[in-house]
Amino acid sequence: MERKRANEEFDPGPVSPAKPIDKYGFVKQDQNNPPEGLTKNKLASENEREESKVRKWRKMIGVGGSDWKHYVRRKPHVVRRRIRRGIPDCLRGLVWQLISGSRDLLLMNPGVYEQLVIYETSASELDIIRDISRTFPSHVFFQQRHGPGQRSLYNVLKAYSVYDRDVGYVQGMGFIAGLLLLYMSEEDAFWLLVALLKGAVHAPMEGLYLAGLPLVQQYLFQFEQLVKEHMPKLGEHFSQEMINPSMYASQWFITVFSYSFPFPLALRIWDVFLYEGVKVVFQVGLALMRYCHDDLIKLPFEKLIHALRNFPEDAMNPDTLLPMAFSIKVTKRLEELKLEYEKRNVKPPCPVEPVSKQPKTSTDQSSPTENPPQPIP
């Protein structure tokens, strides 16, 4: 009965007329096509390189990923180098599951996802339905109102909001779940979301979505200090113009660049993020600052805010930006800044009242109720 009612709620709406789409499934904005001969030659060369790359990757991961862990143990530097150069798109979904630890979670929890989707209810269901159409609205998979893409996105987000009721649902999670669904099934996407937020391989991300966004606050503090240390003149200019990272960088961390960055760049960042952790978000952010340094340092407040939210197209080229990002070493300093942030934000202990010698009544024996953090609407 529940399954039937859910299906009725998601009857597909009208399908929009066919439009030109790019290789990733997004509706093309620019209709200017290059000369046909140039396009064919470029495509042939790109296809040849991609096929060679796919062969190397298939040999590395084995059938269904059977050789992956063995190869990572034997040649970790080769794996890191190849991931930084970009995972072949046809293998991206499988490799993301392997490097995130989500495949193991899936195998250890058979039937759990189906239980969460079909038999559980969530307090966030209306919020999720309201936000679904805002997630990758120009992608064909999510364009159809109540179509298969939006239905899958709803299922994954609803399942997670039940699985972890402390986090529940926060709007930025839709872009992460949506990105994953473009490369894997609902159940696979759900367990990858769990792996990220609960920290199967790297530090847990759930603090990005808890009430008050505690992890976002920490990351913004760390990023502001790194900008001042790596680019002192720019850091000083930001201070003079009263610019802080919360004005432009929050979405970088909450959606790992999947919200407003060009999709090819976002994918390359995600390849590295899943393997190396959140440090790549800091590295990419610093690389953008460094690339645009000479322009940013001249701008007043209003133009500066606009520039930090709208980087030029040439700055968004993965083959230019990412090597610059990887050259910026941040791992040790991030750990030091994390400790500094924690010291600054430690809460003073509450004063302790003297313990009464009188025997406890029945009401004294019950511990005070702790209110868990509430999900942000």
Side-chain angles (χ1 to χ4, degrees):
M1 183 68 181
E2 290 296 324
R3 186 194 293 264
K4 182 178 179 183
R5 186 158 59 246
N7 287 340
E8 286 173 354
E9 289 176 4
F10 286 96
D11 285 340
V15 181
S16 58
K19 297 177 182 177
I21 60 172
D22 66 15
K23 63 183 283 189
Y24 299 107
F26 288 90
V27 175
K28 286 184 178 180
Q29 304 299 324
D30 184 6
Q31 300 300 323
N32 295 328
N33 296 318
E36 188 176 347
L38 180 63
T39 304
K40 286 183 178 179
N41 291 337
K42 186 178 179 181
L43 284 175
S45 176
E46 286 181 356
N47 288 340
E48 191 174 327
R49 283 199 303 271
E50 188 69 10
E51 287 172 7
S52 173
K53 190 176 179 180
V54 169
R55 286 194 294 271
K56 289 180 181 178
W57 271 87
R58 288 195 188 280
K59 185 177 180 181
M60 184 168 70
I61 65 179
V63 178
S66 57
D67 296 336
W68 173 255
K69 291 181 179 178
H70 178 62
Y71 199 99
V72 171
R73 282 194 298 268
R74 285 194 306 118
K75 298 183 178 180
H77 297 298
V78 173
V79 173
R80 188 177 78 157
R81 184 177 72 247
R82 289 183 178 175
I83 286 176
R84 286 184 169 191
R85 289 176 178 173
I87 300 168
D89 206 54
C90 63
L91 298 175
R92 190 164 258 133
L94 172 60
V95 175
W96 280 5
Q97 292 172 63
L98 294 172
I99 62 181
S100 67
S102 68
R103 175 60 64 91
D104 294 332
L105 290 176
L106 171 68
L107 296 175
M108 289 187 294
N109 294 277
V112 171
Y113 176 72
E114 183 180 13
Q115 173 78 21
L116 294 170
V117 171
I118 297 177
Y119 299 108
E120 301 288 347
T121 59
S122 166
S124 304
E125 289 179 17
L126 292 178
D127 292 331
I128 295 169
I129 291 172
R130 179 196 65 204
D131 291 339
I132 277 178
S133 61
R134 304 175 187 175
T135 305
F136 297 124
S138 63
H139 195 284
V140 291
F141 187 54
F142 297 112
Q143 275 193 325
Q144 187 179 349
R145 186 171 177 267
H146 304 325
Q150 291 193 4
R151 191 178 311 179
S152 292
L153 183 58
Y154 168 83
N155 288 343
V156 171
L157 293 172
K158 180 234 175 173
Y160 192 85
S161 70
V162 175
Y163 179 84
D164 184 352
R165 294 187 187 272
D166 284 348
V167 171
Y169 163 73
V170 179
Q171 189 176 1
M173 295 167 63
F175 283 91
I176 290 182
L179 179 65
L180 300 178
L181 282 168
L182 297 179
Y183 285 91
M184 60 196 72
S185 70
E186 279 183 29
E187 189 172 17
D188 291 333
F190 168 78
W191 287 112
L192 209 158
L193 193 61
V194 172
L196 288 175
L197 269 65
K198 292 300 182 183
V201 174
H202 302 292
M205 285 176 60
E206 60 187 351
L208 293 173
Y209 308 110
L210 288 170
L213 310 179
L215 195 54
V216 178
Q217 304 305 325
Q218 176 195 310
Y219 287 164
L220 294 177
F221 168 80
Q222 290 170 297
F223 187 75
E224 185 171 35
Q225 302 309 309
L226 288 171
V227 170
K228 291 177 180 178
E229 293 170 11
H230 285 264
M231 289 154 278
K233 291 182 179 180
L234 186 61
E236 178 62 25
H237 182 58
F238 283 173
S239 296
Q240 291 174 354
E241 296 295 329
M242 301 182 71
I243 297 288
N244 65 71
S246 66
M247 299 174 177
Y248 60 89
S250 298
Q251 289 291 351
W252 296 358
F253 294 103
I254 292 173
T255 69
V256 193
F257 292 112
S258 64
Y259 173 62
S260 59
F261 274 50
F263 198 68
L265 174 59
L267 290 176
R268 292 282 299 277
I269 293 171
W270 268 80
D271 291 344
V272 181
F273 166 69
L274 290 172
Y275 190 64
E276 299 186 31
V278 74
K279 73 173 184 177
V280 74
V281 180
F282 291 94
Q283 290 173 307
V284 169
L286 291 170
L288 284 167
M289 299 294 174
R290 182 174 290 179
Y291 189 91
C292 302
H293 179 280
D294 293 346
D295 294 324
L296 294 173
I297 207 165
K298 301 171 186 174
L299 299 175
F301 179 84
E302 292 83 0
K303 292 183 178 180
L304 196 50
I305 287 291
H306 181 268
L308 290 168
R309 294 175 179 173
N310 301 273
F311 287 97
E313 187 176 344
D314 57 321
M316 300 293 206
N317 182 341
D319 295 324
T320 302
L321 184 65
L322 292 183
M324 184 185 294
F326 300 144
S327 71
I328 303 172
K329 307 305 177 187
V330 297
T331 305
K332 183 179 178 182
R333 190 66 184 124
L334 279 176
E335 190 58 39
E336 293 169 351
L337 289 170
K338 178 185 176 186
L339 295 175
E340 183 180 334
Y341 178 82
E342 290 171 350
K343 286 179 183 177
R344 290 189 182 195
N345 290 274
V346 64
K347 293 182 179 179
C350 298
V352 180
E353 294 185 7
V355 179
S356 171
K357 297 289 187 180
Q358 297 176 359
K360 291 183 178 181
T361 64
S362 58
T363 54
D364 292 330
Q365 294 172 6
S366 59
S367 61
T369 302
E370 294 184 3
N371 295 319
Q374 296 300 309
I376 300 171

